[in-house]
Amino acid sequence: MIQLDHVHKQYGGRIAVNDIHLTVPSGKIFGFLGPNGAGKSTTIKMVTGILPIDSGSITINGKDISTDTIAAKHEFGYVPDSPDLFLRLNGIDYLHFIGDIYGISADDRTARIEEYAKLFSIYEALSDQIKTYSHGMRQKLFITGLLVQQPSVWILDEPMTGLDPKSSYQLKELMRQHTAKGNTVFFSSHVLEVVEQLCDEVAIIRKGEMLFHGTLPEMREKFHSDESLEHIFLELTQDA
Amino acid sequence: MHKPIRALIRIQLKMQYSNVFKKPSVFLGLVLGLLGLLFIGLMFGGFVLQVIDLIYTMLEPSGNSNIILGALFLMNFIVLLLLSLTLVMNAFYFTEDISSFLHFPVYSYQLLIAKSVNPLVYVYLVTAGTYFPVSMYYGALSDAAAMYYVFALLLFFVIPVIPYSLASVTVMFVMLFVNKGKNKDRSKVIGGIIGFILLILLNVVLRLQHDPEKIADTIATSAEGGGLLHMATMYYPPAWLMTNLLTADSFWISLLYLIIVLVIASAAFWLFYAASQKLYLKGALGLNTGSGKQFNGKGLYRKEKSVVYAYRRKEIQTIFRTPTFFLQCVAGTLIMPVLLVVIILMGDFTSAASLAKSLDGSGLYVAILAANVLTIGLNPVSIVSFSKDGHSWEAHLFLPLKMRQIVFAKLQAAFLINLLPITVMFIAAVFVLQLTIWQAVLWLFLALLVNAAVTIIGMLSDLYYPKLGWTEESELFQNRLASLIAIVVSVGSLGMLIALLLLLNMQMLVSLLFTVLYICVLVAALLYSVRRLLRSADRTTLTK
């Protein structure tokens, strides 16, 4: 479970995230939506400890990211929106690096690397440097890293970007299986169809303010609309 | 036709130099670098002018003094050709932005003219530094007329065109074959190592003669028989033409030579143009692709390791797999020991050993310490500890890593890499200086002490002045305040120790104890700073 408690962030004089209060419950796939520059990435970066929080607090499975940082970071796995990290490592070196950092046993990680790298069709490229991978392959490698780690909370920033349809489908299936076991998936996306078919709950953010948080039926009820999520989203964020 | 060239040149200049005047640290680094170059120039300049003076005095009566200009043009050609080979290789093939330009609707020659701007800045700076002092001094010695200086100035713009064009064509041709393997990193490393070998060879050539009178004698003897001028004419005719251009009695003859020189330079540029159009894309396309080898399961199973071990391994892998880091932090540092061996061997092998024996205990001891400080103190490996992560630093912020683990893993990686030059230096010292076992042990002990101090100083300076927003690794080794601070503090604090040892002239054992105490206090103070820093560590400071 992820808990954001009156979180506030500003850059210089500009408010990026304003008093966001949000609970991402266990056993749910949670979609975090908003137009470009709405504050999604800033929020995700605060949740993952990349950015400091100005005021408020964030806990992951009860562990505070600001005060109990390392313990909180062991609770989640993160796939960033631009997976251009550790470019000089080979795919296999990166996955073992992740395994060592999160203390995954040698047997477990070997089995997981083999299973998920094959599932995402990157197994044969594991001896190449990440630098030579396409965007989609990098994305798949970082998702494989997350699956090697197997944390209870997944935080994914635009995870479908660059994925081929097969990999995209597999990731969605894995997300469903993960939450079915009582775990949490928190992800941001611009692909509203994906959010619509996948998410148990959504939150919509605009200019750092939370516009809505709830299930899709609740959203339709609130906005008295039988239209698609895309239509409601465009209505809500039209002046963004 | 020229519009795309102008746009491309503007972009190249912005990317290379826009930060120089915006960031005071970069500007300061640049100014200090230029002052350093000026200092070296003045040191060698005096020697060179002395040689010219002697040659001129010897050859002037026989009317052969123009050999000075012939030699100048020939030397300029060789130096600029070697320099251009490296610069062109980097600018045309190894910069990270190559693929960003390949899809633009521009001709290859337009792209390469724009990409030549940065290398040409260096080439013209080197030309100015070598050509102007000698040609102007020659003009003064020979009481040349004003026209000499006008033609000399015109020639300045033409001189680099031929070597630069020839180097470009050579590189483009070679890269046709290198690209067959499509391994950009390997070719980059090979190119760098060839550059180092050329540097060592140049050093050997320079060391063959270091007595101005001897050099003057040799040149004068060759010139009397027309030897050197003949050589210049045979291998590089433009040197002969340029010499005659400047020394001809008639303005019209000079003008004729100038026209011939310009025709040759135009022909060289045409070669550059033709090679750009025919060869460049064939060599550049596909340089960024992977190995094409399929993963065969080797290394799939690996034993679990500690976080510090895993991180240290990642550090060392990154340094060895990134050509720029490998060349600067590993191969580059091996040059110093090799150069030292060259210097000693070029002197006299047996006298080097006897010199080592003749030095009394503390003299040899101070020499050992100084050699170690120079070898290890100038290695940038710890100065890029954090900066080399660049954009990947962001991962440190979401991974469950403690700052303590990161710092110690980075220190260990830098310390271990520094052991390479130490080992080479040690082997060279043992065999060339024929050290006794006791002296060899002392050497290793001092090297390890110096390594500890220098590694922490470098890491700290990078922690305080990191450069994470680079687009190319090479930016980390150019005009950085962190490098300057680290080198000044390392060489300064250890140089002070050496000065104290020389001043106090203590007995060998006392010197050793004093050194151990001094460096231990230094390392303890540095470790204390690291501890304090870790206590208040806020990793996000590095992203600001």
Side-chain angles (χ1 to χ4, degrees):
Chain A
M1 187 173 82
I2 305 171
Q3 176 78 49
L4 285 87
D5 195 9
H6 299 289
V7 173
H8 186 86
K9 177 80 188 169
Q10 62 182 56
Y11 298 114
R14 190 177 66 83
I15 293 171
V17 171
N18 191 18
D19 195 38
I20 284 194
H21 192 74
L22 182 70
T23 301
V24 181
S26 299
K28 296 275 167 70
I29 299 179
F30 194 99
F32 197 46
L33 312 176
N36 294 331
K40 294 192 302 294
S41 284
T42 301
T43 307
I44 288 180
K45 282 182 171 158
M46 286 192 286
V47 172
T48 52
I50 295 174
L51 279 177
I53 307 161
D54 287 352
S55 63
S57 67
I58 296 173
T59 57
I60 294 141
N61 288 346
K63 282 151 188 147
D64 194 302
I65 191 70
S66 302
T67 55
D68 196 6
T69 311
I70 300 294
K73 285 178 180 177
H74 271 287
E75 294 297 322
F76 69 84
Y78 171 55
V79 176
D81 56 343
S82 50
D84 45 359
L85 309 170
F86 304 116
L87 298 179
R88 288 289 176 179
L89 294 186
N90 295 341
I92 188 73
D93 290 332
Y94 168 75
L95 295 174
H96 279 296
F97 176 66
I98 289 296
D100 286 330
I101 296 297
Y102 287 98
I104 310 299
S105 75
D107 289 333
D108 282 350
R109 86 172 72 155
T110 305
R112 289 174 194 169
I113 291 172
E114 198 164 8
E115 180 186 350
Y116 295 115
K118 281 182 177 165
L119 183 75
F120 285 111
S121 314
I122 54 164
Y123 184 78
E124 290 179 343
L126 286 181
S127 53
D128 281 338
Q129 285 187 20
I130 301 173
K131 196 175 189 298
T132 62
Y133 287 14
S134 68
H135 179 88
M137 281 176 75
R138 288 181 193 179
Q139 192 81 356
K140 289 187 209 174
L141 181 75
F142 279 80
I143 292 169
T144 307
L146 175 96
L147 294 163
V148 167
Q149 178 196 344
Q150 292 207 345
S152 68
V153 176
W154 291 4
I155 301 172
L156 317 169
D157 199 355
E158 303 283 353
M160 306 298 172
T161 312
L163 291 188
D164 52 64
K166 187 181 159 206
S167 305
S168 181
Y169 170 79
Q170 274 151 352
L171 178 61
K172 284 186 270 185
E173 283 301 300
L174 287 167
M175 285 158 85
R176 287 194 186 103
Q177 287 167 18
H178 191 62
T179 49
K181 290 179 203 158
N183 297 311
T184 310
V185 174
F186 177 63
F187 80 104
S188 73
S189 182
H190 284 299
V191 188
L192 297 174
E193 290 87 350
V194 171
V195 174
E196 200 159 19
Q197 57 179 252
L198 199 62
C199 290
D200 300 306
E201 282 186 30
V202 294
I204 298 178
I205 182 174
R206 186 191 66 173
K207 292 181 179 170
E209 306 271 354
M210 186 84 84
L211 294 182
F212 173 79
H213 168 209
T215 62
L216 288 170
E218 282 168 358
M219 184 189 277
R220 290 199 175 93
E221 197 180 325
K222 182 174 177 182
F223 297 103
H224 311 291
S225 171
D226 286 330
E227 300 282 350
S228 66
L229 173 63
E230 185 180 27
H231 188 85
I232 301 171
F233 179 81
L234 290 173
E235 285 277 314
L236 274 172
T237 59
Q238 60 186 339
D239 60 337
Chain B
M1 186 176 79
H2 298 303
K3 218 173 172 185
I5 299 181
R6 276 203 300 273
L8 289 167
I9 287 178
R10 211 175 301 129
I11 280 288
Q12 294 288 330
L13 288 173
K14 271 195 179 165
M15 278 161 56
Q16 283 294 328
Y17 300 104
S18 62
N19 267 341
V20 172
F21 298 103
K22 279 184 197 159
K23 286 192 179 172
S25 57
V26 178
F27 186 68
L28 183 73
L30 191 75
V31 170
L32 287 170
L34 283 175
L35 283 176
L37 277 178
L38 194 70
F39 176 70
I40 294 169
L42 286 173
M43 271 175 61
F44 284 96
F47 169 77
V48 171
L49 295 182
Q50 197 186 344
V51 172
I52 291 171
D53 220 351
L54 281 165
I55 299 172
Y56 188 84
T57 321
M58 279 185 206
L59 297 180
E60 203 271 331
S62 63
N64 275 324
S65 61
N66 60 359
I67 189 64
I68 294 170
L69 291 176
L72 169 70
F73 290 122
L74 184 65
M75 285 304 289
N76 252 330
F77 172 74
I78 295 169
V79 169
L80 295 181
L81 187 74
L82 293 178
L83 178 71
S84 303
L85 283 172
T86 323
L87 290 171
V88 164
M89 187 96 83
N90 276 322
F92 291 6
Y93 295 95
F94 297 151
T95 48
E96 297 301 320
D97 64 356
I98 285 186
S99 45
S100 345
F101 291 99
L102 291 178
H103 63 278
F104 286 138
V106 291
Y107 293 108
S108 304
Y109 82 93
Q110 293 175 318
L111 185 60
L112 293 193
I113 287 176
K115 279 189 166 290
S116 292
V117 168
N118 195 37
L120 282 175
V121 168
Y122 287 96
V123 166
Y124 272 98
L125 276 175
V126 170
T127 312
T130 51
Y131 171 69
F132 279 128
V134 178
S135 61
M136 295 299 124
Y137 191 61
Y138 181 85
L141 282 175
S142 60
D143 288 327
M147 202 43 72
Y148 168 91
Y149 295 99
V150 174
F151 279 123
L153 186 65
L154 284 176
L155 269 187
F156 165 72
F157 295 102
V158 185
I159 289 169
V161 175
I162 302 170
Y164 185 80
S165 301
L166 288 183
S168 304
V169 173
T170 311
V171 168
M172 282 187 247
F173 186 72
V174 169
M175 286 308 286
L176 271 185
F177 301 98
V178 171
N179 194 17
K180 291 222 160 80
K182 296 215 166 152
N183 197 325
K184 182 177 170 180
D185 288 352
R186 198 178 301 148
S187 25
K188 215 169 178 175
V189 169
I190 291 170
I193 289 173
I194 289 172
F196 288 144
I197 292 170
L198 287 175
L199 195 74
I200 292 168
L201 285 179
L202 194 71
N203 196 279
V204 171
V205 171
L206 287 175
R207 287 194 174 276
L208 281 172
Q209 289 283 14
H210 49 270
D211 180 0
E213 295 208 14
K214 261 190 185 170
I215 295 174
D217 263 347
T218 316
I219 293 175
T221 322
S222 318
E224 295 289 0
L228 193 64
L229 194 60
H230 175 70
M231 200 171 82
T233 321
M234 201 166 67
Y235 292 108
Y236 187 56
W240 182 83
L241 292 165
M242 291 178 191
T243 309
N244 285 329
L245 191 164
L246 289 184
T247 53
D249 294 330
S250 152
F251 167 79
W252 296 108
I253 292 177
S254 287
L255 193 65
L256 183 69
Y257 278 122
L258 180 66
I259 291 167
I260 300 172
V261 168
L262 286 176
V263 168
I264 293 174
S266 307
F269 180 76
W270 183 85
L271 263 181
F272 170 86
Y273 164 82
S276 309
Q277 291 292 85
K278 294 269 178 206
L279 308 178
Y280 179 62
L281 285 183
K282 284 180 194 158
L285 292 177
L287 264 177
N288 272 324
T289 51
S291 67
K293 282 183 198 159
Q294 288 193 352
F295 180 62
N296 56 10
K298 196 181 163 197
L300 183 62
Y301 179 88
R302 275 185 210 165
K303 276 187 182 164
E304 230 180 300
K305 300 287 180 195
S306 72
V307 171
V308 173
Y309 179 95
Y311 196 93
R312 189 177 66 226
R313 184 189 160 105
K314 182 219 81 156
E315 287 287 291
I316 295 174
Q317 279 175 333
T318 306
I319 290 170
F320 273 83
R321 286 179 188 166
T322 313
T324 312
F325 295 147
F326 177 76
L327 289 171
Q328 295 281 347
C329 306
V330 182
T333 56
L334 298 180
I335 275 196
M336 183 66 97
V338 175
L339 273 180
L340 197 83
V341 174
V342 167
I343 291 165
I344 293 169
L345 285 180
M346 294 304 288
D348 184 354
F349 186 90
T350 47
S351 72
S354 56
L355 175 77
K357 286 196 178 74
S358 72
L359 277 172
D360 62 3
S362 56
L364 180 68
Y365 168 78
V366 172
I368 289 174
L369 185 64
N372 277 317
V373 170
L374 277 178
T375 317
I376 313 156
L378 300 176
N379 188 1
V381 63
S382 61
I383 308 171
V384 293
S385 292
F386 291 91
S387 298
K388 74 173 175 299
D389 286 318
H391 178 65
S392 292
W393 177 254
E394 191 173 306
H396 296 73
L397 303 174
F398 64 78
L399 291 173
L401 289 164
K402 293 174 184 151
M403 192 61 172
R404 188 166 18 99
Q405 292 170 325
I406 298 173
V407 163
F408 285 116
K410 282 183 183 292
L411 280 177
Q412 286 173 19
F415 187 87
L416 286 173
I417 285 177
N418 270 339
L419 290 183
L420 284 169
I422 289 174
T423 310
V424 176
M425 192 85 165
F426 174 70
I427 294 169
V430 167
F431 285 100
V432 178
L433 295 176
Q434 296 173 4
L435 300 180
T436 61
I437 292 178
W438 149 241
Q439 287 166 336
V441 171
L442 179 69
W443 182 295
L444 264 188
F445 179 66
L446 289 176
L448 295 179
L449 274 182
V450 170
N451 190 6
V454 163
T455 304
I456 304 174
I457 292 169
M459 192 275 297
L460 277 174
S461 69
D462 192 41
L463 190 58
Y464 280 109
Y465 300 99
K467 181 172 182 166
L468 294 166
W470 46 266
T471 45
E472 275 194 45
E473 293 103 356
S474 58
E475 291 169 33
L476 296 179
F477 303 94
Q478 298 163 356
N479 312 321
R480 274 191 69 208
L481 193 63
S483 315
L484 193 74
I485 291 172
I487 289 170
V488 167
V489 176
S490 304
V491 178
S493 57
L494 295 164
M496 201 149 63
L497 166 68
I498 293 170
L500 275 173
L501 289 173
L502 287 173
L503 201 73
L504 299 173
N505 196 21
M506 296 174 287
Q507 276 188 335
M508 167 82 174
L509 200 63
V510 186
S511 286
L512 179 64
L513 283 173
F514 184 75
T515 306
V516 172
L517 194 69
Y518 182 96
I519 300 186
C520 284
V521 169
L522 182 67
V523 171
L526 290 166
L527 283 174
Y528 177 73
S529 315
V530 174
R531 244 191 101 206
R532 278 201 60 162
L533 192 84
L534 286 177
R535 214 180 290 157
S536 60
D538 175 4
R539 263 168 283 163
T540 56
T541 50
L542 274 178
T543 60
K544 276 178 189 166

